[in-house]
Amino acid sequence: MDRVALRGLKARGHHGVFPREREEGQTFIVDLVLHIDARPAAAEDDLAKTVHYGVVAEEVVDVVQGEPVDLIETLAERIAQQCLKHEAVAQVEVVVHKPDAPITVPFDDVTITITRSRA
């Protein structure tokens, strides 16, 4: 499979188990790898035969900004399912970063990485 990668999509969401996270929100960063077969699009130079990564980026931001969930695992799953709605996407790897997680010791980032395929 070929891969289209989007790195560093940023959006503010209100996800988390603590009231402060829900009330104040925080920035989430999402990285995606969309597994596609790029040959049909390349052969005909046709956007309709691939995945429009600009549309995917907007949809991912909408998911992050949307209905709050407790866990970044749930957020990652919702993002993956949205990506798989695109016919050209056979598999997706989603990394959700939560750099402002409420942790009491110094840290750089918290992430969840999931991979989902068409059923």
Side-chain angles (χ1 to χ4, degrees):
M1 298 273 13
D2 305 305
R3 297 181 307 266
V4 174
L6 289 93
R7 306 269 187 227
L9 295 171
K10 293 180 184 174
R12 190 159 187 83
H14 293 265
H15 312 288
V17 296
F18 298 113
R20 183 174 177 190
E21 294 178 289
R22 292 294 182 105
E23 293 165 12
E24 296 177 14
Q26 60 193 292
T27 299
F28 292 84
I29 302 166
V30 178
D31 301 324
L32 302 173
V33 178
L34 307 168
H35 296 258
I36 65 168
D37 180 356
R39 291 174 293 190
E44 297 184 34
D45 198 28
D46 185 355
L47 177 60
K49 298 194 183 241
T50 188
V51 62
H52 190 310
Y53 51 80
V55 170
V56 171
E58 291 171 0
E59 292 171 349
V60 168
V61 166
D62 286 345
V63 171
V64 174
Q65 292 175 340
E67 181 184 346
V69 296
D70 288 343
L71 304 177
I72 59 173
E73 292 86 344
T74 307
L75 181 60
E77 185 68 33
R78 287 184 177 181
I79 292 167
Q81 293 309 314
Q82 181 61 46
C83 293
L84 289 171
K85 289 180 180 179
H86 292 269
E87 186 177 331
V89 178
Q91 180 174 303
V92 61
E93 179 180 290
V94 177
V95 181
V96 174
H97 301 257
K98 189 175 179 180
D100 299 320
I103 297 175
T104 60
V105 297
F107 75 103
D108 289 328
D109 198 6
V110 173
T111 66
I112 177 74
T113 302
I114 66 170
T115 302
R116 299 292 182 265
S117 302
R118 291 194 175 278

